[in-house]
Amino acid sequence: MDETIWQAVRAARGWLDEANGTGEAELTCRMLKLTEEAGEVAGAWIGLLGQNPRKGVTHTREDVAAELADAAFTALVAIESLGLDARAALGRCAGKVTGRMDDRPAASGSAAD
């Protein structure tokens, strides 16, 4: 990932630390912020599908992607707020997922069958 992302994550954590402190209540709020962001993803998706008949279609795929990016960024800031390296945590997660895919059985119905 571009270094500017990690710089922004660290800067956001520093800004929040300075503005709100670093106590347990603040850390709790940072974790809960991720839930708030996930709700905004859900709202954008519902808006994309037009599931609210009163409102109709209100969002685009780009809107949904922007909300997903907000959620991802919020999660990275929360990891850093725990005093951990978000880049390393994300790398471990990617490795875990890649390992699961490498261990999966071959799909049936493939050209090799």
Short mmCIF file of all heavy atoms in Angstrom, two decimals, residues 25-92:
data_model
loop_
_atom_site.label_atom_id
_atom_site.label_comp_id
_atom_site.label_asym_id
_atom_site.label_seq_id
_atom_site.Cartn_x
_atom_site.Cartn_y
_atom_site.Cartn_z
N ALA A 25 -12.11 4.59 27.82
CA ALA A 25 -13.37 5.07 27.24
C ALA A 25 -13.14 5.55 25.82
O ALA A 25 -13.96 5.29 24.92
CB ALA A 25 -13.97 6.18 28.10
N GLU A 26 -12.03 6.25 25.58
CA GLU A 26 -11.73 6.72 24.23
C GLU A 26 -11.46 5.54 23.29
O GLU A 26 -11.93 5.53 22.15
CB GLU A 26 -10.52 7.67 24.24
CG GLU A 26 -10.05 8.09 22.87
CD GLU A 26 -11.08 8.81 22.01
OE1 GLU A 26 -12.08 9.35 22.54
OE2 GLU A 26 -10.90 8.83 20.78
N LEU A 27 -10.71 4.56 23.76
CA LEU A 27 -10.46 3.37 22.93
C LEU A 27 -11.77 2.66 22.61
O LEU A 27 -11.97 2.19 21.48
CB LEU A 27 -9.49 2.42 23.62
CG LEU A 27 -8.05 2.92 23.72
CD1 LEU A 27 -7.20 1.92 24.51
CD2 LEU A 27 -7.45 3.16 22.34
N THR A 28 -12.67 2.59 23.57
CA THR A 28 -13.97 1.98 23.33
C THR A 28 -14.70 2.74 22.23
O THR A 28 -15.28 2.12 21.32
CB THR A 28 -14.80 1.96 24.63
OG1 THR A 28 -14.10 1.19 25.61
CG2 THR A 28 -16.18 1.39 24.40
N CYS A 29 -14.67 4.05 22.29
CA CYS A 29 -15.34 4.85 21.26
C CYS A 29 -14.73 4.61 19.89
O CYS A 29 -15.44 4.56 18.88
CB CYS A 29 -15.28 6.33 21.62
SG CYS A 29 -16.38 6.75 23.00
N ARG A 30 -13.42 4.42 19.84
CA ARG A 30 -12.78 4.16 18.54
C ARG A 30 -13.19 2.81 17.99
O ARG A 30 -13.35 2.65 16.77
CB ARG A 30 -11.26 4.27 18.66
CG ARG A 30 -10.84 5.70 18.94
CD ARG A 30 -9.36 5.89 18.94
NE ARG A 30 -9.02 7.13 19.64
CZ ARG A 30 -7.81 7.59 19.79
NH1 ARG A 30 -6.78 6.92 19.29
NH2 ARG A 30 -7.59 8.71 20.45
N MET A 31 -13.40 1.83 18.85
CA MET A 31 -13.88 0.52 18.38
C MET A 31 -15.33 0.65 17.92
O MET A 31 -15.71 0.11 16.88
CB MET A 31 -13.79 -0.53 19.49
CG MET A 31 -12.41 -0.77 20.08
SD MET A 31 -11.14 -1.06 18.86
CE MET A 31 -9.79 -0.19 19.62
N LEU A 32 -16.13 1.38 18.67
CA LEU A 32 -17.54 1.56 18.31
C LEU A 32 -17.69 2.38 17.04
O LEU A 32 -18.66 2.20 16.30
CB LEU A 32 -18.30 2.22 19.46
CG LEU A 32 -18.47 1.35 20.70
CD1 LEU A 32 -19.09 2.16 21.83
CD2 LEU A 32 -19.27 0.11 20.40
N LYS A 33 -16.73 3.24 16.76
CA LYS A 33 -16.77 4.03 15.53
C LYS A 33 -16.78 3.11 14.31
O LYS A 33 -17.42 3.41 13.30
CB LYS A 33 -15.55 4.97 15.48
CG LYS A 33 -15.46 5.84 14.26
CD LYS A 33 -16.53 6.90 14.24
CE LYS A 33 -16.34 7.81 13.04
NZ LYS A 33 -17.51 8.61 12.74
N LEU A 34 -16.13 1.97 14.41
CA LEU A 34 -16.13 1.01 13.31
C LEU A 34 -17.55 0.48 13.05
O LEU A 34 -17.96 0.33 11.90
CB LEU A 34 -15.17 -0.14 13.59
CG LEU A 34 -15.01 -1.16 12.49
CD1 LEU A 34 -14.59 -0.53 11.17
CD2 LEU A 34 -14.01 -2.22 12.90
N THR A 35 -18.30 0.26 14.11
CA THR A 35 -19.69 -0.18 13.95
C THR A 35 -20.52 0.91 13.28
O THR A 35 -21.34 0.64 12.41
CB THR A 35 -20.29 -0.54 15.32
OG1 THR A 35 -19.50 -1.57 15.90
CG2 THR A 35 -21.72 -0.99 15.20
N GLU A 36 -20.27 2.14 13.67
CA GLU A 36 -20.97 3.26 13.03
C GLU A 36 -20.67 3.30 11.53
O GLU A 36 -21.57 3.46 10.70
CB GLU A 36 -20.55 4.58 13.67
CG GLU A 36 -21.19 5.80 13.03
CD GLU A 36 -20.62 7.12 13.51
OE1 GLU A 36 -19.51 7.14 14.07
OE2 GLU A 36 -21.30 8.14 13.28
N GLU A 37 -19.40 3.14 11.19
CA GLU A 37 -19.00 3.16 9.78
C GLU A 37 -19.63 1.99 9.02
O GLU A 37 -20.06 2.14 7.87
CB GLU A 37 -17.49 3.14 9.64
CG GLU A 37 -16.79 4.38 10.17
CD GLU A 37 -17.13 5.66 9.43
OE1 GLU A 37 -17.65 5.61 8.29
OE2 GLU A 37 -16.88 6.74 9.99
N ALA A 38 -19.70 0.82 9.65
CA ALA A 38 -20.34 -0.33 9.01
C ALA A 38 -21.81 -0.05 8.75
O ALA A 38 -22.35 -0.44 7.70
CB ALA A 38 -20.17 -1.58 9.87
N GLY A 39 -22.46 0.65 9.66
CA GLY A 39 -23.84 1.04 9.44
C GLY A 39 -23.99 1.96 8.25
O GLY A 39 -24.97 1.88 7.49
N GLU A 40 -23.02 2.83 8.04
CA GLU A 40 -23.06 3.72 6.88
C GLU A 40 -22.86 2.93 5.59
O GLU A 40 -23.46 3.27 4.55
CB GLU A 40 -22.03 4.84 7.04
CG GLU A 40 -22.42 5.79 8.16
CD GLU A 40 -21.40 6.89 8.42
OE1 GLU A 40 -20.49 7.09 7.58
OE2 GLU A 40 -21.51 7.54 9.47
N VAL A 41 -22.05 1.88 5.64
CA VAL A 41 -21.92 0.99 4.47
C VAL A 41 -23.28 0.37 4.16
O VAL A 41 -23.73 0.37 3.01
CB VAL A 41 -20.86 -0.12 4.71
CG1 VAL A 41 -20.89 -1.15 3.60
CG2 VAL A 41 -19.46 0.48 4.87
N ALA A 42 -23.93 -0.15 5.20
CA ALA A 42 -25.24 -0.78 5.01
C ALA A 42 -26.25 0.23 4.45
O ALA A 42 -27.01 -0.10 3.52
CB ALA A 42 -25.74 -1.35 6.33
N GLY A 43 -26.24 1.43 4.97
CA GLY A 43 -27.15 2.45 4.48
C GLY A 43 -26.91 2.80 3.02
O GLY A 43 -27.86 2.97 2.25
N ALA A 44 -25.64 2.88 2.64
CA ALA A 44 -25.32 3.17 1.24
C ALA A 44 -25.75 2.03 0.33
O ALA A 44 -26.27 2.26 -0.77
CB ALA A 44 -23.82 3.45 1.10
N TRP A 45 -25.56 0.79 0.79
CA TRP A 45 -25.96 -0.36 -0.03
C TRP A 45 -27.48 -0.39 -0.19
O TRP A 45 -27.99 -0.62 -1.29
CB TRP A 45 -25.43 -1.66 0.57
CG TRP A 45 -25.69 -2.84 -0.31
CD1 TRP A 45 -26.55 -3.86 -0.08
CD2 TRP A 45 -25.09 -3.10 -1.59
NE1 TRP A 45 -26.52 -4.75 -1.12
CE2 TRP A 45 -25.63 -4.32 -2.07
CE3 TRP A 45 -24.16 -2.44 -2.37
CZ2 TRP A 45 -25.28 -4.87 -3.29
CZ3 TRP A 45 -23.79 -2.99 -3.58
CH2 TRP A 45 -24.35 -4.19 -4.04
N ILE A 46 -28.18 -0.15 0.90
CA ILE A 46 -29.65 -0.09 0.83
C ILE A 46 -30.07 1.02 -0.13
O ILE A 46 -30.99 0.84 -0.93
CB ILE A 46 -30.24 0.11 2.24
CG1 ILE A 46 -30.09 -1.19 3.04
CG2 ILE A 46 -31.70 0.56 2.19
CD1 ILE A 46 -30.36 -1.05 4.52
N GLY A 47 -29.37 2.15 -0.07
CA GLY A 47 -29.66 3.25 -0.99
C GLY A 47 -29.36 2.91 -2.43
O GLY A 47 -30.07 3.34 -3.35
N LEU A 48 -28.33 2.12 -2.65
CA LEU A 48 -27.99 1.68 -4.01
C LEU A 48 -29.08 0.77 -4.57
O LEU A 48 -29.44 0.86 -5.75
CB LEU A 48 -26.65 0.95 -4.01
CG LEU A 48 -26.25 0.30 -5.33
CD1 LEU A 48 -25.73 1.37 -6.29
CD2 LEU A 48 -25.22 -0.77 -5.12
N LEU A 49 -29.59 -0.11 -3.71
CA LEU A 49 -30.62 -1.06 -4.15
C LEU A 49 -32.01 -0.43 -4.23
O LEU A 49 -32.92 -1.03 -4.79
CB LEU A 49 -30.66 -2.25 -3.19
CG LEU A 49 -29.39 -3.09 -3.11
CD1 LEU A 49 -29.56 -4.19 -2.07
CD2 LEU A 49 -29.01 -3.66 -4.46
N GLY A 50 -32.17 0.77 -3.66
CA GLY A 50 -33.48 1.40 -3.66
C GLY A 50 -34.47 0.70 -2.75
O GLY A 50 -35.67 0.70 -3.01
N GLN A 51 -33.98 0.08 -1.68
CA GLN A 51 -34.83 -0.72 -0.79
C GLN A 51 -35.81 0.11 0.02
O GLN A 51 -36.75 -0.43 0.57
CB GLN A 51 -33.96 -1.55 0.15
CG GLN A 51 -33.38 -2.78 -0.51
CD GLN A 51 -34.44 -3.73 -0.98
OE1 GLN A 51 -34.68 -3.87 -2.16
NE2 GLN A 51 -35.13 -4.37 -0.06
N ASN A 52 -35.59 1.40 0.12
CA ASN A 52 -36.54 2.25 0.83
C ASN A 52 -37.43 2.89 -0.22
O ASN A 52 -37.02 3.81 -0.92
CB ASN A 52 -35.80 3.31 1.64
CG ASN A 52 -36.73 4.17 2.47
OD1 ASN A 52 -37.91 4.33 2.14
ND2 ASN A 52 -36.19 4.75 3.53
N PRO A 53 -38.67 2.41 -0.35
CA PRO A 53 -39.55 2.92 -1.41
C PRO A 53 -39.79 4.43 -1.31
O PRO A 53 -40.01 5.09 -2.32
CB PRO A 53 -40.87 2.16 -1.20
CG PRO A 53 -40.54 1.02 -0.31
CD PRO A 53 -39.31 1.38 0.45
N ARG A 54 -39.74 4.97 -0.12
CA ARG A 54 -39.96 6.40 0.06
C ARG A 54 -38.81 7.21 -0.54
O ARG A 54 -39.02 8.28 -1.10
CB ARG A 54 -40.10 6.71 1.56
CG ARG A 54 -40.42 8.15 1.89
CD ARG A 54 -40.65 8.35 3.39
NE ARG A 54 -39.58 7.86 4.23
CZ ARG A 54 -38.45 8.54 4.49
NH1 ARG A 54 -38.25 9.72 3.99
NH2 ARG A 54 -37.54 8.03 5.28
N LYS A 55 -37.60 6.67 -0.49
CA LYS A 55 -36.43 7.39 -0.97
C LYS A 55 -35.99 6.98 -2.36
O LYS A 55 -35.38 7.76 -3.08
CB LYS A 55 -35.26 7.20 0.00
CG LYS A 55 -35.49 7.81 1.37
CD LYS A 55 -34.28 7.58 2.25
CE LYS A 55 -34.48 8.17 3.63
NZ LYS A 55 -33.31 7.92 4.49
N GLY A 56 -36.21 5.73 -2.72
CA GLY A 56 -35.74 5.24 -4.01
C GLY A 56 -34.24 5.03 -4.00
O GLY A 56 -33.62 4.88 -2.95
N VAL A 57 -33.64 5.05 -5.17
CA VAL A 57 -32.19 4.86 -5.30
C VAL A 57 -31.50 6.17 -4.93
O VAL A 57 -31.76 7.21 -5.53
CB VAL A 57 -31.81 4.42 -6.73
CG1 VAL A 57 -30.30 4.37 -6.90
CG2 VAL A 57 -32.44 3.08 -7.06
N THR A 58 -30.66 6.09 -3.92
CA THR A 58 -30.02 7.30 -3.39
C THR A 58 -28.49 7.25 -3.43
O THR A 58 -27.85 8.26 -3.14
CB THR A 58 -30.45 7.56 -1.94
OG1 THR A 58 -30.09 6.40 -1.15
CG2 THR A 58 -31.95 7.79 -1.84
N HIS A 59 -27.91 6.10 -3.72
CA HIS A 59 -26.46 5.94 -3.67
C HIS A 59 -25.96 5.22 -4.91
O HIS A 59 -26.72 4.53 -5.61
CB HIS A 59 -26.04 5.16 -2.42
CG HIS A 59 -26.23 5.91 -1.15
ND1 HIS A 59 -27.47 6.10 -0.57
CD2 HIS A 59 -25.34 6.53 -0.36
CE1 HIS A 59 -27.32 6.80 0.54
NE2 HIS A 59 -26.03 7.08 0.69
N THR A 60 -24.66 5.34 -5.14
CA THR A 60 -23.97 4.68 -6.24
C THR A 60 -22.98 3.66 -5.68
O THR A 60 -22.70 3.66 -4.48
CB THR A 60 -23.20 5.69 -7.10
OG1 THR A 60 -22.14 6.25 -6.27
CG2 THR A 60 -24.11 6.81 -7.61
N ARG A 61 -22.44 2.85 -6.55
CA ARG A 61 -21.37 1.92 -6.12
C ARG A 61 -20.18 2.70 -5.59
O ARG A 61 -19.51 2.26 -4.66
CB ARG A 61 -20.94 1.02 -7.28
CG ARG A 61 -21.96 -0.07 -7.58
CD ARG A 61 -21.46 -1.02 -8.67
NE ARG A 61 -22.43 -2.07 -8.86
CZ ARG A 61 -22.37 -3.27 -8.27
NH1 ARG A 61 -21.38 -3.56 -7.48
NH2 ARG A 61 -23.31 -4.17 -8.51
N GLU A 62 -19.92 3.85 -6.16
CA GLU A 62 -18.82 4.69 -5.67
C GLU A 62 -19.09 5.15 -4.24
O GLU A 62 -18.17 5.22 -3.42
CB GLU A 62 -18.59 5.88 -6.60
CG GLU A 62 -17.99 5.52 -7.94
CD GLU A 62 -18.97 4.88 -8.92
OE1 GLU A 62 -20.21 4.97 -8.72
OE2 GLU A 62 -18.49 4.25 -9.89
N ASP A 63 -20.36 5.47 -3.94
CA ASP A 63 -20.72 5.84 -2.57
C ASP A 63 -20.48 4.68 -1.61
O ASP A 63 -19.95 4.86 -0.51
CB ASP A 63 -22.20 6.25 -2.48
CG ASP A 63 -22.53 7.51 -3.25
OD1 ASP A 63 -21.66 8.40 -3.39
OD2 ASP A 63 -23.69 7.60 -3.74
N VAL A 64 -20.86 3.49 -2.03
CA VAL A 64 -20.65 2.30 -1.20
C VAL A 64 -19.15 2.08 -0.99
O VAL A 64 -18.70 1.83 0.14
CB VAL A 64 -21.32 1.05 -1.81
CG1 VAL A 64 -20.98 -0.20 -1.01
CG2 VAL A 64 -22.83 1.24 -1.90
N ALA A 65 -18.37 2.20 -2.06
CA ALA A 65 -16.93 2.02 -1.95
C ALA A 65 -16.32 3.05 -0.99
O ALA A 65 -15.42 2.72 -0.20
CB ALA A 65 -16.27 2.11 -3.32
N ALA A 66 -16.80 4.28 -1.05
CA ALA A 66 -16.29 5.32 -0.16
C ALA A 66 -16.60 4.98 1.30
O ALA A 66 -15.75 5.17 2.19
CB ALA A 66 -16.88 6.68 -0.53
N GLU A 67 -17.78 4.46 1.55
CA GLU A 67 -18.13 4.07 2.92
C GLU A 67 -17.30 2.87 3.38
O GLU A 67 -16.90 2.80 4.54
CB GLU A 67 -19.63 3.77 3.04
CG GLU A 67 -20.53 4.97 2.80
CD GLU A 67 -20.34 6.11 3.78
OE1 GLU A 67 -19.68 5.94 4.84
OE2 GLU A 67 -20.85 7.21 3.50
N LEU A 68 -17.06 1.92 2.48
CA LEU A 68 -16.20 0.78 2.83
C LEU A 68 -14.79 1.26 3.15
O LEU A 68 -14.15 0.77 4.09
CB LEU A 68 -16.17 -0.24 1.68
CG LEU A 68 -17.43 -1.08 1.53
CD1 LEU A 68 -17.45 -1.78 0.18
CD2 LEU A 68 -17.53 -2.10 2.67
N ALA A 69 -14.30 2.22 2.37
CA ALA A 69 -12.97 2.77 2.64
C ALA A 69 -12.93 3.46 4.00
O ALA A 69 -11.95 3.33 4.75
CB ALA A 69 -12.56 3.72 1.52
N ASP A 70 -14.00 4.20 4.33
CA ASP A 70 -14.07 4.82 5.66
C ASP A 70 -13.99 3.77 6.75
O ASP A 70 -13.29 3.96 7.75
CB ASP A 70 -15.39 5.60 5.82
CG ASP A 70 -15.41 6.93 5.09
OD1 ASP A 70 -14.36 7.39 4.62
OD2 ASP A 70 -16.52 7.50 4.99
N ALA A 71 -14.71 2.66 6.57
CA ALA A 71 -14.69 1.59 7.57
C ALA A 71 -13.30 0.98 7.68
O ALA A 71 -12.81 0.74 8.80
CB ALA A 71 -15.73 0.52 7.22
N ALA A 72 -12.65 0.74 6.55
CA ALA A 72 -11.30 0.16 6.57
C ALA A 72 -10.32 1.09 7.26
O ALA A 72 -9.51 0.66 8.10
CB ALA A 72 -10.85 -0.15 5.14
N PHE A 73 -10.39 2.38 6.94
CA PHE A 73 -9.49 3.35 7.55
C PHE A 73 -9.73 3.43 9.05
O PHE A 73 -8.79 3.47 9.84
CB PHE A 73 -9.67 4.72 6.88
CG PHE A 73 -8.62 5.71 7.27
CD1 PHE A 73 -7.41 5.74 6.61
CD2 PHE A 73 -8.83 6.61 8.30
CE1 PHE A 73 -6.42 6.65 6.96
CE2 PHE A 73 -7.85 7.52 8.67
CZ PHE A 73 -6.64 7.53 7.99
N THR A 74 -10.99 3.43 9.45
CA THR A 74 -11.34 3.48 10.86
C THR A 74 -10.78 2.28 11.60
O THR A 74 -10.28 2.40 12.72
CB THR A 74 -12.88 3.57 11.03
OG1 THR A 74 -13.32 4.78 10.40
CG2 THR A 74 -13.30 3.56 12.48
N ALA A 75 -10.84 1.11 10.98
CA ALA A 75 -10.29 -0.10 11.60
C ALA A 75 -8.78 0.02 11.76
O ALA A 75 -8.23 -0.36 12.80
CB ALA A 75 -10.64 -1.33 10.77
N LEU A 76 -8.10 0.56 10.76
CA LEU A 76 -6.65 0.72 10.85
C LEU A 76 -6.27 1.70 11.97
O LEU A 76 -5.32 1.46 12.72
CB LEU A 76 -6.08 1.18 9.51
CG LEU A 76 -6.22 0.17 8.36
CD1 LEU A 76 -5.78 0.81 7.04
CD2 LEU A 76 -5.46 -1.10 8.65
N VAL A 77 -7.02 2.78 12.10
CA VAL A 77 -6.77 3.74 13.18
C VAL A 77 -7.01 3.07 14.53
O VAL A 77 -6.24 3.26 15.48
CB VAL A 77 -7.62 5.01 13.01
CG1 VAL A 77 -7.50 5.91 14.24
CG2 VAL A 77 -7.20 5.78 11.76
N ALA A 78 -8.04 2.26 14.63
CA ALA A 78 -8.33 1.56 15.89
C ALA A 78 -7.19 0.62 16.25
O ALA A 78 -6.80 0.55 17.43
CB ALA A 78 -9.65 0.80 15.78
N ILE A 79 -6.64 -0.08 15.28
CA ILE A 79 -5.50 -0.97 15.55
C ILE A 79 -4.32 -0.17 16.07
O ILE A 79 -3.70 -0.54 17.08
CB ILE A 79 -5.11 -1.76 14.28
CG1 ILE A 79 -6.21 -2.74 13.91
CG2 ILE A 79 -3.78 -2.50 14.49
CD1 ILE A 79 -6.06 -3.34 12.51
N GLU A 80 -4.00 0.94 15.42
CA GLU A 80 -2.90 1.80 15.87
C GLU A 80 -3.18 2.34 17.27
O GLU A 80 -2.26 2.48 18.07
CB GLU A 80 -2.68 2.95 14.89
CG GLU A 80 -2.06 2.53 13.57
CD GLU A 80 -0.55 2.33 13.63
OE1 GLU A 80 0.13 2.97 14.48
OE2 GLU A 80 -0.05 1.54 12.81
N SER A 81 -4.45 2.63 17.56
CA SER A 81 -4.83 3.16 18.87
C SER A 81 -4.60 2.16 19.98
O SER A 81 -4.47 2.54 21.15
CB SER A 81 -6.29 3.61 18.85
OG SER A 81 -6.47 4.68 17.95
N LEU A 82 -4.55 0.89 19.64
CA LEU A 82 -4.22 -0.16 20.62
C LEU A 82 -2.73 -0.24 20.88
O LEU A 82 -2.29 -1.05 21.68
CB LEU A 82 -4.73 -1.51 20.12
CG LEU A 82 -6.25 -1.67 20.03
CD1 LEU A 82 -6.60 -2.97 19.32
CD2 LEU A 82 -6.86 -1.61 21.42
N GLY A 83 -1.96 0.60 20.18
CA GLY A 83 -0.51 0.59 20.32
C GLY A 83 0.14 -0.47 19.45
O GLY A 83 1.28 -0.84 19.67
N LEU A 84 -0.59 -0.93 18.44
CA LEU A 84 -0.09 -1.97 17.55
C LEU A 84 0.16 -1.40 16.16
O LEU A 84 -0.33 -0.32 15.83
CB LEU A 84 -1.09 -3.12 17.50
CG LEU A 84 -1.40 -3.77 18.86
CD1 LEU A 84 -2.54 -4.74 18.74
CD2 LEU A 84 -0.16 -4.41 19.44
N ASP A 85 0.89 -2.14 15.37
CA ASP A 85 1.22 -1.73 14.01
C ASP A 85 0.13 -2.22 13.06
O ASP A 85 0.00 -3.42 12.81
CB ASP A 85 2.58 -2.32 13.63
CG ASP A 85 3.07 -1.94 12.25
OD1 ASP A 85 2.26 -1.48 11.41
OD2 ASP A 85 4.27 -2.09 12.01
N ALA A 86 -0.67 -1.28 12.54
CA ALA A 86 -1.79 -1.64 11.67
C ALA A 86 -1.30 -2.31 10.39
O ALA A 86 -1.94 -3.24 9.90
CB ALA A 86 -2.62 -0.40 11.34
N ARG A 87 -0.18 -1.86 9.85
CA ARG A 87 0.35 -2.47 8.63
C ARG A 87 0.69 -3.94 8.87
O ARG A 87 0.34 -4.80 8.08
CB ARG A 87 1.59 -1.73 8.14
CG ARG A 87 2.13 -2.30 6.85
CD ARG A 87 3.46 -1.69 6.47
NE ARG A 87 3.32 -0.27 6.20
CZ ARG A 87 4.07 0.39 5.35
NH1 ARG A 87 5.03 -0.21 4.69
NH2 ARG A 87 3.89 1.67 5.17
N ALA A 88 1.34 -4.22 9.99
CA ALA A 88 1.69 -5.61 10.32
C ALA A 88 0.43 -6.45 10.56
O ALA A 88 0.35 -7.59 10.10
CB ALA A 88 2.61 -5.64 11.54
N ALA A 89 -0.54 -5.89 11.26
CA ALA A 89 -1.79 -6.62 11.52
C ALA A 89 -2.51 -6.93 10.22
O ALA A 89 -3.01 -8.05 10.03
CB ALA A 89 -2.69 -5.82 12.45
N LEU A 90 -2.56 -5.97 9.32
CA LEU A 90 -3.21 -6.19 8.02
C LEU A 90 -2.44 -7.23 7.21
O LEU A 90 -3.03 -8.09 6.55
CB LEU A 90 -3.33 -4.87 7.26
CG LEU A 90 -4.21 -4.87 6.03
CD1 LEU A 90 -5.64 -5.28 6.36
CD2 LEU A 90 -4.18 -3.49 5.39
N GLY A 91 -1.12 -7.17 7.27
CA GLY A 91 -0.30 -8.16 6.57
C GLY A 91 -0.54 -9.57 7.10
O GLY A 91 -0.65 -10.52 6.32
N ARG A 92 -0.64 -9.71 8.42
CA ARG A 92 -0.93 -11.04 9.00
C ARG A 92 -2.30 -11.53 8.56
O ARG A 92 -2.47 -12.70 8.23
CB ARG A 92 -0.84 -10.98 10.53
CG ARG A 92 0.57 -10.90 11.06
CD ARG A 92 0.63 -11.07 12.57
NE ARG A 92 -0.11 -10.05 13.30
CZ ARG A 92 0.37 -8.86 13.65
NH1 ARG A 92 1.61 -8.52 13.32
NH2 ARG A 92 -0.38 -8.00 14.34
#
